[in-house]
């Protein structure tokens, strides 16, 4: 099934017509139009017309469809349509497979019923909560801004060291026993959330705090990414390309293309100099807290450039 759908997405003419890929039941099936995958269910529930758009799905109910090219298996009439939207890079294979499997299950176990409720269930599965998506957006914008800042001020490109072990890596930028953790805030608050054991340990760690603000004169995340990808001399490595795509999946594509930010400040600290606790009792673990950096000493930019040579 999945192979047939992927082949259809690549080969079906993009002429605005709707082409049947696979019939699932008398009332449901997969179709392709203009490179987009559709799941159609005959509107036997008599759902009123409505249209809802999310980051990955477009729901359109009670839409008149008169005929299907290549196969007249389905009669003309009113249909409910669930369109799975690709990103600018196309379909993620894992997401595509999940969508196909869930639509098949909807046909097999629900017989195409409760179509709108099925849409909302899918929507919850295919995206993080909005609040978390925004946090991911802010965090990624800050990390990329710092990497670009380093290139512009020191000509040192650390993009190949960024999330070297993936999104779950212990540090944002890893260089053996020397590491950089980036915290991004979109508020004027001087506090940042710290996982104590992550930052304060036997490694030589540095904390970078980036303050950004939403600004019409700023850049979107996608604009920032494009500016880095188009640089002929920096960021040209597989690790960077892979992690950009991985991190973008955790963010609303609408926000990535529309919310604009400007960098207000970049502050760098030596973790050993800002540790608020001399010793943590053995009975305490997974300690997380907000750390006020107002009175903490920053590393001057001139000293930071020298330290990069050691890296």
């Amino acid at each position: 099934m999945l192979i047939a759908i992927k082949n259809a997405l690549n080969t079906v003419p993009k002429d605005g017509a709707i082409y049947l890929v696979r019939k699932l039941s008398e009332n449901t099936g997969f179709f392709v139009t203009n490179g987009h995958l559709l799941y159609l269910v005959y509107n036997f529930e008599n759902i009123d017309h409505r249209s809802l758009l999310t980051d990955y799905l477009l729901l359109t109910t009670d839409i008149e469809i008169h005929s299907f090219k290549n196969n007249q298996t389905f009669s003309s009439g009113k249909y409910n349509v669930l369109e799975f939207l690709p990103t600018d890079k196309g379909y993620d294979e894992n997401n595509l497979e999940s969508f196909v499997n869930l639509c098949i299950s909807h046909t097999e176990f629900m017989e195409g019923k409760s179509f709108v409720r099925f849409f909302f269930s899918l929507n919850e599965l295919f995206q993080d909560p909005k609040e978390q998506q925004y946090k991911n957006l802010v965090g990624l914008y800050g990390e990329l801004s710092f990497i670009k800042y380093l290139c512009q001020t020191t000509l040192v490109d650390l993009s190949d060291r960024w999330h070297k072990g993936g999104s779950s890596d212990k540090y944002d930028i890893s260089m053996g026993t020397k590491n950089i953790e980036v915290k991004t805030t979109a508020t004027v608050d001087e506090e940042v959330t710290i996982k104590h054991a992550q930052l304060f340990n036997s490694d030589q760690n540095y904390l970078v705090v980036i303050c950004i603000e939403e600004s019409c004169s700023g850049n979107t995340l996608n604009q920032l990414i494009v500016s880095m990808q188009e640089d002929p001399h920096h960021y040209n490595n597989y690790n960077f390309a892979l992690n950009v795509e991985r991190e973008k999946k955790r963010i609303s594509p609408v926000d990535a293309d529309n919310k604009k930010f400007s960098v207000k400040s970049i502050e760098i600290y030596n973790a050993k100099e800002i540790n608020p606790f001399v010793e943590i009792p053995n009975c305490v673990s997974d300690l997380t807290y907000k750390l006020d950096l107002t009175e903490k000493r920053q590393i001057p930019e001139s000293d930071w450039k020298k330290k990069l040579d050691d890296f």
Side-chain angles (χ1 to χ4, degrees):
M1 176 78 75
L2 185 61
I3 294 176
I5 288 174
K6 289 164 67 175
N7 288 338
L9 288 169
N10 293 324
T11 60
V12 166
K14 297 180 180 180
D15 55 7
I18 299 175
Y19 292 85
L20 174 65
V21 178
R22 185 65 60 88
K23 180 179 178 180
L24 298 178
S25 72
E26 291 301 315
N27 295 314
T28 68
F30 286 116
F31 297 79
V32 168
T33 181
N34 291 333
H36 288 204
L37 178 61
L38 309 178
Y39 173 58
L40 268 65
V41 177
Y42 186 75
N43 191 17
F44 55 85
E45 295 181 287
N46 295 316
I47 300 172
D48 292 336
H49 176 73
R50 63 192 300 185
S51 180
L52 294 172
L53 174 65
T54 67
D55 296 328
Y56 297 98
L57 301 169
L58 172 61
L59 169 75
T60 309
T61 57
D62 197 42
I63 183 172
E64 183 76 37
I65 297 180
H66 295 287
S67 64
F68 302 96
K69 288 191 176 182
N70 291 345
N71 195 323
Q72 298 294 330
T73 300
F74 289 84
S75 60
S76 298
K78 298 281 191 175
Y79 284 82
N80 301 320
V81 182
L82 189 56
E83 180 176 350
F84 191 42
L85 303 174
T87 66
D88 54 355
K89 300 293 185 179
Y91 284 114
D92 172 80
E93 186 165 339
N94 291 331
N95 285 345
L96 181 63
E97 183 176 6
S98 295
F99 176 80
V100 169
N101 290 339
L102 289 167
C103 290
I104 292 173
S105 296
H106 179 247
T107 291
E108 290 182 350
F109 303 119
M110 299 180 67
E111 299 178 338
K113 299 175 183 177
S114 302
F115 189 81
V116 175
R117 182 157 61 90
F118 173 60
F119 161 76
F120 283 112
S121 297
L122 278 184
N123 188 49
E124 291 178 0
L125 291 174
F126 279 101
Q127 61 181 354
D128 292 329
K130 286 294 183 181
E131 181 180 356
Q132 185 60 50
Q133 283 191 335
Y134 184 77
K135 290 180 181 179
N136 295 341
L137 171 67
V138 168
L140 180 55
Y141 191 96
E143 290 173 20
L144 294 182
S145 295
F146 176 66
I147 293 172
K148 187 174 183 179
Y149 161 79
L150 284 183
C151 265
Q152 292 175 332
T153 58
T154 69
L155 298 181
V156 175
D157 181 4
L158 295 180
S159 61
D160 64 331
R161 299 287 182 170
W162 175 55
H163 289 315
K164 193 71 174 178
S167 298
S168 60
D169 205 5
K170 185 175 182 179
Y171 305 106
D172 293 319
I173 299 173
S174 299
M175 297 156 289
T177 59
K178 297 181 180 180
N179 311 284
I180 301 172
E181 182 65 17
V182 181
K183 299 293 185 182
T184 310
T185 175
T187 69
V188 295
D189 196 344
E190 292 291 336
E191 294 182 336
V192 293
T193 300
I194 299 295
K195 294 180 179 179
H196 186 88
Q198 177 193 33
L199 193 62
F200 305 118
N201 50 54
S202 59
D203 293 340
Q204 179 60 62
N205 299 325
Y206 296 89
L207 173 65
V208 175
V209 179
I210 299 182
C211 183
I212 66 175
E213 65 178 353
E214 290 195 39
S215 170
C216 293
S217 60
N219 295 312
T220 67
L221 174 65
N222 284 345
Q223 288 173 333
L224 174 60
I225 290 172
V226 168
S227 71
M228 298 176 75
Q229 291 174 333
E230 291 180 346
D231 187 316
H233 305 296
H234 305 104
Y235 326 116
N236 298 316
N237 60 82
Y238 176 72
N239 181 73
F240 180 73
L242 176 66
N243 281 305
V244 164
E245 295 307 315
R246 177 188 287 129
E247 295 300 318
K248 282 174 64 177
K249 288 183 61 179
R250 304 169 60 233
I251 294 167
S252 161
V254 175
D255 288 347
D257 209 32
N258 289 281
K259 286 191 178 296
K260 293 185 175 183
F261 298 97
S262 294
V263 176
K264 294 178 62 180
S265 63
I266 298 178
E267 302 171 351
I268 303 170
Y269 302 87
N270 186 330
K272 296 185 183 301
E273 297 178 359
I274 63 173
N275 188 348
F277 300 107
V278 177
E279 187 175 351
I280 301 294
N282 292 331
C283 60
V284 176
S285 62
D286 296 328
L287 181 62
T288 300
Y289 52 86
K290 288 187 177 295
L291 179 62
D292 189 339
L293 297 167
T294 306
E295 303 298 327
K296 302 297 183 180
R297 175 184 175 274
Q298 300 177 36
I299 299 177
E301 185 176 294
S302 57
D303 290 351
W304 177 247
K305 292 178 182 179
K306 294 177 183 178
K307 290 182 182 299
L308 283 175
D309 291 335
D310 296 335
F311 288 172

